[in-house]
Amino acid sequence: MTEIKFYENVADELLKFVVIISKTQNKYVFCKHKNRDTWEIPGGHRESGENIMDAAKRELYEETGALEFTIKPVCVYSVTAPDNYNNGEESFGMLFFADIKHFEKELHSEIERIVLMDELPKKLTYPNIQPHLMEEAKKRGIFMKC
């Protein structure tokens, strides 16, 4: 069973990935990877030596083509899963919220396309994680209004 926990902060070196709940025109932004038939919230892994905010900005651009946006941290979260990911150990990431004002015309990454939706899509890439992240952000009042 996948376990999700939320924290105010942890040691910076523990943060391995970012997830950016994003909105534009008061709709959520979801991505479809070229090799999957599911949807996901923009995000990815932090590169070696990269500041966590810079990782979030880079991933947001790479996965959505966002050129003009505001972004802010929401909280730290962790995932512990019994599968082979991270050997079943607790792994940490930072959850962000972004309000996107302007997109590049074309995507230049592994993302095939983005969609704008009012709620979570039915076919999620990470169905045991993404709904919990959205719910926690809502509890914190982060993106009730952009």
Side-chain angles (χ1 to χ4, degrees):
M1 184 167 139
T2 302
E3 182 180 18
I4 313 295
K5 292 181 183 174
F6 297 96
Y7 302 90
E8 293 309 311
N9 54 54
V10 295
D12 182 72
E13 64 271 8
L14 292 176
L15 297 171
K16 304 296 182 201
F17 44 89
V18 296
V19 171
I20 310 101
I21 297 172
S22 306
K23 280 189 134 180
T24 191
Q25 302 166 20
N26 212 30
K27 294 198 180 278
Y28 297 107
V29 179
F30 294 97
C31 306
K32 183 191 168 299
H33 191 283
K34 291 176 182 175
N35 298 329
R36 296 190 270 274
D37 65 350
T38 54
W39 297 96
E40 52 200 69
I41 299 169
H45 287 88
R46 179 185 197 180
E47 294 179 357
S48 179
E50 188 175 38
N51 171 290
I52 199 68
M53 177 63 83
D54 291 341
K57 290 176 180 178
R58 176 183 52 76
E59 287 290 349
L60 184 64
Y61 168 72
E62 287 177 4
E63 297 205 348
T64 69
L67 293 173
E68 184 183 337
F69 54 86
T70 57
I71 188 168
K72 61 183 174 183
V74 175
C75 64
V76 172
Y77 73 98
S78 72
V79 175
T80 306
D83 60 15
N84 289 332
Y85 183 76
N86 205 35
N87 298 320
E89 298 288 321
E90 185 175 28
S91 56
F92 295 89
M94 178 71 79
L95 180 63
F96 289 85
F97 172 73
D99 184 11
I100 303 172
K101 304 291 185 208
H102 182 70
F103 294 90
E104 201 166 41
K105 291 191 189 303
E106 291 184 30
L107 296 172
H108 307 283
S109 71
E110 71 277 3
I111 300 302
E112 180 176 87
R113 66 186 169 127
I114 61 169
V115 294
L116 308 181
M117 303 181 88
D118 290 321
E119 55 191 43
L120 277 170
K122 301 235 182 290
K123 290 182 75 175
L124 290 168
T125 304
Y126 305 104
N128 296 327
I129 300 171
Q130 293 169 332
H132 297 285
L133 301 180
M134 295 284 285
E135 186 59 35
E136 184 66 20
K138 283 181 185 177
K139 283 181 189 174
R140 292 170 180 257
I142 296 302
F143 55 89
M144 300 312 283
K145 293 189 180 198
C146 291

